[in-house]
């Protein structure tokens, strides 16, 4: 399942993302992935989730993001949740 958290600045997207990722890692029997621009969530998200910084991979548009997510899921069969911020 891919969950996109979108909205205007100041609407609580980051707080919601942190809560969802941490809850998913507690309940999931597989891997939980969080894809984000920048590394501002390093200390907020539990170490059990895999945090990926898109700036390190030069993702420029939606097509590149789709290919990136396809590559991640192809390399790991036990991914249960993917969160994109």
């Amino acid at each position: 399942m891919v969950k996109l958290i979108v909205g205007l600045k100041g609407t609580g997207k980051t707080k919601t993302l942190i809560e969802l990722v941490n809850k998913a890692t507690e309940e999931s029997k597989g891997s939980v992935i969080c894809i984000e621009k920048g590394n501002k969530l390093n200390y907020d998200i539990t170490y059990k989730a895999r945090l990926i910084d898109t700036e390190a991979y030069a993702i420029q548009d939606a097509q590149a993001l789709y290919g990136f997510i396809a590559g991640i899921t192809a390399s790991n069969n036990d991914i249960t949740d993917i969160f994109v911020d």
Side-chain angles (χ1 to χ4, degrees):
M1 174 185 337
V2 176
K3 296 181 181 182
L4 297 175
I5 300 173
V6 295
L8 299 174
K9 185 175 182 177
T11 57
K13 296 181 302 292
T14 303
K15 182 179 178 183
T16 303
L17 174 70
I18 293 168
E19 291 172 358
L20 287 173
V21 171
N22 289 335
K23 182 179 177 186
T25 56
E26 293 173 4
E27 297 173 354
S28 175
K29 301 228 186 292
S31 299
V32 176
I33 309 293
C34 180
I35 301 172
E36 183 203 16
K37 183 176 180 182
N39 58 0
K40 62 185 174 190
L41 298 180
N42 279 347
Y43 301 108
D44 296 322
I45 292 180
T46 181
Y47 70 92
K48 296 175 186 177
R50 181 175 172 195
L51 183 61
I52 300 174
D53 179 12
T54 58
E55 290 179 344
Y57 297 98
I59 297 173
Q60 300 294 327
D61 56 6
Q63 185 177 5
L65 180 62
Y66 176 76
F68 186 72
I69 292 172
I72 290 172
T73 56
S75 67
N76 190 350
N77 293 333
D78 67 344
I79 294 175
T80 57
D81 295 293
I82 297 177
F83 297 91
V84 179
D85 183 25

